[in-house]
Amino acid sequence: MNPRILEPILEGYKLKRKIIDENQWLMGGYIFEAVSIAIGNMTKKKGQKPNNYFEEIKKPALQAINSNNGELTEEEKQRRLDLLMAGLRVKQANFELAKQQKKRQ
């Protein structure tokens, strides 16, 4: 086949793989959040208020990043990605602290 015909097909395939990879990465974050909240609620003492599932997340993280109508610079994309990763690290640290506190009791 003609390389000019194959080039858009290859670009489409790369875009499809990128979308699949992003979705799988996102699902890992959502699954972590769901499991940590479920475990946290199971280990709460009687009378404590349970945590709500995804209380602070109103829409998917990548959708929030891409909600800007204009093109983002690479620096802005990296900054937003760093903020997202920092938020996930904080949630993980809180989960680990809660787990350690539970072991002490």
Side-chain angles (χ1 to χ4, degrees):
M1 291 183 88
N2 188 337
R4 284 185 278 170
I5 295 172
L6 291 176
E7 189 173 332
I9 295 170
L10 179 62
E11 290 300 316
Y13 177 76
K14 286 180 182 178
L15 182 60
K16 180 181 175 182
R17 288 299 312 160
K18 181 181 176 191
I19 291 170
I20 290 171
D21 289 343
E22 288 173 350
N23 285 336
Q24 289 173 344
W25 181 82
L26 263 180
M27 287 308 296
Y30 288 139
I31 289 170
F32 173 78
E33 181 76 16
V35 169
S36 65
I37 288 176
I39 291 173
N41 286 339
M42 287 188 319
T43 58
K44 286 194 181 281
K45 293 183 179 178
K46 199 171 195 174
Q48 287 183 328
K49 182 180 174 187
N51 294 331
N52 291 332
Y53 180 68
F54 287 145
E55 188 174 88
E56 70 276 356
I57 298 177
K58 302 296 183 197
K59 56 185 175 179
L62 288 178
Q63 183 181 351
I65 290 173
N66 294 330
S67 64
N68 190 351
N69 291 337
E71 287 293 319
L72 298 175
T73 64
E74 286 300 317
E75 291 175 2
E76 181 66 17
K77 288 179 186 178
Q78 186 62 41
R79 186 185 70 78
R80 289 185 179 190
L81 183 61
D82 291 342
L83 286 173
L84 176 66
M85 292 302 295
L88 290 174
R89 284 188 201 108
V90 167
K91 289 178 184 179
Q92 182 180 11
N94 287 336
F95 175 75
E96 294 295 329
L97 284 173
K99 189 168 74 172
Q100 288 175 359
Q101 289 175 353
K102 179 65 179 172
K103 284 182 180 178
R104 289 183 200 153
Q105 293 176 352

